[in-house]
Amino acid sequence: MEEDFIVSNNSTIDIGKIWEAALQKIANEVTAISFDVWIKTIVPSEIKGNTLVLATPSLSSKKVLNNNYKTIITSCLNQVHSAITSVEFVIEDASIKEEEEKEEAPSEDELVRSTFNPKYTFDNFVVGSSNQFVAAAAKAVSQNPGEKYNPLFIYGGVGLGKTHLLHAIGNSINETKPELNVVYVTCERFTNDLIESIRDSKKTSTSSFRAKYRKADVLIIDDIQFIANKQSVQEEFFNTFNELNENHKQIVISSDRPPKEINPLEERIRSRLEWGLLADIGIPDIETKIAILQKKSQIEHYNVSKDVIEYIAGAQSTNIRELEGMLARAVFYSGLLGESIVSIETAREALKDIAMRNDAELDASVILDSVCKFYNIKKEELLARKRTKEVALARQVAMYLITDLLSIPLAAVGDIFGKDHATVIYAKSKVQEDMHKNKKFATEVNDIRAMIKGK
Ligand code: ADP
Ligand code: MG
């Protein structure tokens, strides 16, 4: 007989709740994109003894999870519930399982296909005035890849749906034109792949790197802004771009800023990025925010009233990821209280620490501006990866103040700087420690804080 899953107060608890709680912890341990692509698609399935069985959508995600995330997931689950000491990944859909497992161990020269988050589709993307143009362009590209708008360059602020649209293009092409090889990569991954292939002295390594990217029918690169400053990556990207372009292959790129603001960037690359269509994704208005949260509730089967949705959509933030986080938090609290539908009181209570900043306009950019002003450096310098002493200090102070003043996940803070959460944690404790040791420095940091608050 299967063991019942018992908590200390002897009531049976559903694994859904444990998983929800673990997710919040995992979110702090992995990058936002990994979280979206690999973690969010997991569905907890059953408990077998001390093992939590987790269903994954495909063989490739099962492999990635086993290789890269098993330890983190197990440890977060164990923190939530000490009875869980291991996890096992299985493939959700039995038919995929048989088919895909036959294909295991792809040969060296086989094409590398990307998997896409099944929730990031065009159907799940709410269109409003802020993103109408970019959504239409993305759809056109997925219907006729390589034919017009090449490259398609999508840019806009954090959490506005760029990655969602890139995955929607991938999902759509995979479905309607499965013969095409769609490769999705973050700029960071492209960089790491390149570095590895160079480091690995074997010739096959570089050629398999080239094969991977240059054999794509559709190449999607997310967050290209991180290419700034990286010469060898720019060179390799340039060659990849040219080869794909000559062969009329589609290229889709996202960035948090338009090409002319990516600095330093070789001119020949900038001009290529501008060859096709530049489409910016704007800040959603309140109606769009409401519609997105409604869609999200529908997808996640949240039982939330319109009041609660409107309350959350009324928050100052325009970052949809942040709003979704607030919604999930309200739902989670409500679940703990055993409510059948999230009440507005519970939502208020759940979100009371996350300032519902309707009046004071405080977001990361205000903090970055103040830090730059104080240290007399440019924002591009602060966000680039350069390591002069002054810039490094300013960057740590900015990270510290963002984590201190805003309720956003560490991984998201890292994203702003193109760093991981560990760097943010380090910066935070370093600044705290230095403030403790050095009065003058503490006064400086507090002056910046006052400057921010005074805005
Ligand atoms: P970005 O890549 O621009 O930082 P993401 O694509 O990761 O942003 O979006 C953050 C979250 O917001 C995702 O969960 C995404 O599904 C959601 N989202 C953003 N815009 C929309 C939209 N128009 N409709 C539905 N969901 C959206
Ligand atoms: Mg993104």
Side-chain angles (χ1 to χ4, degrees):
M1 207 187 79
E2 240 177 52
E3 278 180 50
D4 250 353
F5 199 60
I6 307 293
V7 286
S8 50
N9 66 7
N10 263 3
S11 63
T12 310
I13 189 166
D14 68 315
I15 53 178
K17 279 197 185 143
I18 293 183
W19 180 240
E20 280 286 327
L23 275 181
Q24 310 225 348
K25 293 189 185 294
I26 298 169
N28 288 327
E29 303 291 328
V30 304
T31 63
I33 178 70
S34 310
F35 187 80
D36 285 346
V37 179
W38 307 116
I39 311 293
K40 270 211 301 219
T41 52
I42 296 173
V43 180
S45 152
E46 57 173 328
I47 289 274
K48 278 201 230 155
N50 293 324
T51 302
L52 180 60
V53 181
L54 298 169
T56 68
S58 64
L59 181 67
S60 45
S61 52
K62 181 179 155 183
K63 278 190 204 158
V64 171
L65 288 163
N66 263 321
N67 291 338
N68 305 335
Y69 299 105
K70 196 169 184 172
T71 321
I72 292 173
I73 294 174
T74 311
S75 127
C76 290
L77 275 163
N78 186 256
Q79 287 168 37
V80 173
H81 205 292
S82 56
I84 302 175
T85 53
S86 67
V87 299
E88 181 190 334
F89 298 107
V90 296
I91 298 169
E92 210 164 35
D93 181 341
S95 60
I96 301 184
K97 186 173 172 172
E98 283 192 359
E99 229 173 76
E100 290 200 46
E101 277 187 349
K102 270 190 230 142
E103 293 173 13
E104 221 168 335
S107 70
E108 274 257 337
D109 52 13
E110 207 169 314
L111 297 176
V112 185
R113 278 168 190 279
S114 300
T115 45
F116 294 97
N117 184 335
K119 286 184 181 162
Y120 286 178
T121 59
F122 285 119
D123 279 349
N124 287 345
F125 191 81
V126 173
V127 176
S129 54
S130 57
N131 58 26
Q132 211 167 4
F133 178 72
V134 64
K139 269 193 187 155
V141 158
S142 66
Q143 280 154 9
N144 296 303
E147 286 178 24
K148 45 178 176 178
Y149 308 148
N150 204 7
L152 170 62
F153 188 100
I154 297 175
Y155 68 94
V158 180
L160 296 182
K162 299 182 297 295
T163 298
H164 186 136
L165 276 178
L166 297 184
H167 279 248
I169 293 172
N171 276 319
S172 162
I173 298 178
N174 273 351
E175 198 181 307
T176 56
K177 301 179 177 59
E179 70 283 5
L180 295 187
N181 179 39
V182 188
V183 175
Y184 167 95
V185 72
T186 58
C187 186
E188 202 174 359
R189 176 71 195 279
F190 184 84
T191 306
N192 291 342
D193 273 6
L194 179 65
I195 293 169
E196 260 167 46
S197 82
I198 295 169
R199 203 181 280 151
D200 187 350
S201 56
K202 277 185 257 128
K203 256 208 178 129
T204 51
S205 177
T206 324
S207 64
S208 76
F209 172 86
R210 300 225 154 116
K212 174 172 174 184
Y213 294 109
R214 297 192 191 177
K215 278 188 188 160
D217 295 306
V218 179
L219 177 62
I220 304 177
I221 303 189
D222 205 351
D223 287 324
I224 193 94
Q225 71 271 8
F226 297 126
I227 203 173
N229 246 335
K230 299 191 187 95
Q231 272 244 297
S232 59
V233 183
Q234 293 189 14
E235 177 73 31
E236 187 61 34
F237 172 75
F238 181 75
N239 294 329
T240 308
F241 186 104
N242 289 344
E243 181 154 340
L244 292 176
N245 198 268
E246 268 162 32
N247 296 315
H248 306 284
K249 306 297 189 189
Q250 178 71 46
I251 297 169
V252 185
I253 286 162
S254 88
S255 165
D256 68 352
R257 65 201 79 172
K260 65 173 182 313
E261 287 174 25
I262 304 178
N263 281 308
L265 182 68
E266 283 181 47
E267 221 30 62
R268 55 183 186 156
I269 296 179
R270 194 188 315 280
S271 85
R272 273 166 179 74
L273 294 178
E274 288 172 342
W275 265 357
L277 182 72
L278 299 185
D280 72 325
I281 188 161
I283 287 173
D285 54 22
I286 179 101
E287 286 75 26
T288 310
K289 290 206 265 178
I290 292 173
I292 292 173
L293 290 173
Q294 271 167 339
K295 188 93 198 182
K296 182 79 184 175
S297 307
Q298 189 194 329
I299 297 166
E300 302 295 332
H301 306 291
Y302 292 159
N303 203 359
V304 206
S305 68
K306 188 134 194 263
D307 280 2
V308 169
I309 298 233
E310 283 173 358
Y311 172 68
I312 295 172
Q316 171 67 34
S317 175
T318 52
N319 178 335
I320 310 291
R321 190 179 301 119
E322 229 170 272
L323 295 174
E324 287 181 350
M326 290 162 84
L327 177 66
R329 190 181 165 105
V331 170
F332 181 67
Y333 264 61
S334 174
L336 290 179
L337 296 175
E339 290 181 344
S340 57
I341 178 164
V342 184
S343 67
I344 184 83
E345 292 75 26
T346 304
R348 284 216 173 90
E349 181 62 24
L351 303 175
K352 72 170 191 292
D353 298 331
I354 302 177
M356 298 292 287
R357 293 179 297 269
N358 287 318
D359 42 0
E361 268 199 34
L362 185 55
D363 61 24
S365 72
V366 174
I367 299 178
L368 295 178
D369 287 343
S370 304
V371 171
C372 287
K373 202 165 155 197
F374 187 88
Y375 289 105
N376 196 19
I377 54 176
K378 293 211 188 80
K379 205 158 163 181
E380 299 87 74
E381 289 177 287
L382 192 74
L383 297 177
R385 293 204 167 171
K386 236 167 84 188
R387 262 187 235 161
T388 62
K389 213 170 151 202
E390 291 82 343
V391 175
L393 176 73
R395 197 176 292 141
Q396 285 178 341
V397 170
M399 286 183 186
Y400 163 76
L401 286 169
I402 291 175
T403 53
D404 206 35
L405 294 171
L406 305 178
S407 303
I408 54 179
L410 291 173
V413 180
D415 280 352
I416 300 175
F417 299 87
K419 306 270 180 192
D420 60 13
H421 73 285
T423 313
V424 181
I425 294 173
Y426 172 75
K428 195 175 163 181
S429 60
K430 174 90 172 36
V431 171
Q432 275 169 336
E433 210 184 294
D434 289 354
M435 283 173 74
H436 215 73
K437 283 196 237 151
N438 180 341
K439 271 237 167 78
K440 186 165 161 276
F441 178 61
T443 315
E444 268 176 34
V445 175
N446 287 328
D447 284 349
I448 304 173
R449 189 196 297 269
M451 212 160 108
I452 294 163
K453 291 238 167 112
K455 285 217 165 150

